[in-house]
Amino acid sequence: QVQLVESGGGLVQAGGSLRLSCAASGLTFNMYHMSWFRQAPGKEREFVVTITYSGGTPDYADSVKDRFTISRDNAKNTVYLQMNSLKPEDTAVYYCAATIRAFGTSIDLHDRHNYRYWGQGTQVTVSS
């Protein structure tokens, strides 16, 4: 079975940092684009960042650009999200998601409906 398991969430003061990890199993990791989404209470799940199967230039949401950094280690089947300068508005459950790479076509990697596999989520709480 395919599993994506997030870890690293927690409680941090505004301005602090956290590093999230997503460990994948049951899939050929280097064939998948990997993304982070987040969902705050009462809000829709929103796109945070995507890194392609090859680890090319990541695509960040404007709200996190210059503060968050995504990376992947295909040898470890793991994707990371380094979050710096955290704000209370970053408080949410953070989800790792995977969608297989396309050949001869493309998909919108910002659209949560285009992801087949999801982790269980990890809570990030940023206090004022």
Side-chain angles (χ1 to χ4, degrees):
Q1 64 183 34
V2 172
Q3 283 194 305
L4 304 177
V5 180
E6 302 97 333
S7 61
L11 175 64
V12 65
Q13 289 183 252
S17 298
L18 287 172
R19 182 175 173 85
L20 307 183
S21 298
C22 172
S25 61
L27 52 73
T28 304
F29 187 69
N30 65 2
M31 293 182 64
Y32 284 80
H33 308 306
M34 302 297 298
S35 295
W36 291 93
F37 288 76
R38 65 187 183 185
Q39 188 166 23
K43 298 181 65 178
E44 293 185 356
R45 192 167 299 187
E46 68 175 354
F47 170 80
V48 177
V49 62
T50 289
I51 187 167
T52 67
Y53 77 100
S54 64
T57 302
D59 183 15
Y60 295 90
D62 288 343
S63 59
V64 306
K65 200 172 186 65
D66 300 323
R67 298 189 298 120
F68 291 9
T69 303
I70 192 172
S71 60
R72 68 189 294 162
D73 187 338
N74 286 352
K76 297 181 178 179
N77 287 3
T78 301
V79 62
Y80 305 95
L81 185 65
Q82 178 67 46
M83 305 185 295
N84 298 326
S85 302
L86 283 162
K87 305 174 181 179
E89 305 93 272
D90 296 318
T91 295
V93 177
Y94 282 71
Y95 296 92
C96 178
T99 186
I100 197 164
R101 63 174 295 193
F103 293 90
T105 187
S106 64
I107 60 171
D108 181 5
L109 296 175
H110 292 202
D111 185 351
R112 66 186 187 274
H113 300 105
N114 287 330
Y115 289 80
R116 180 173 180 83
Y117 301 114
W118 293 85
Q120 84 289 348
T122 185
Q123 177 71 48
V124 172
T125 302
V126 184
S127 65
S128 300

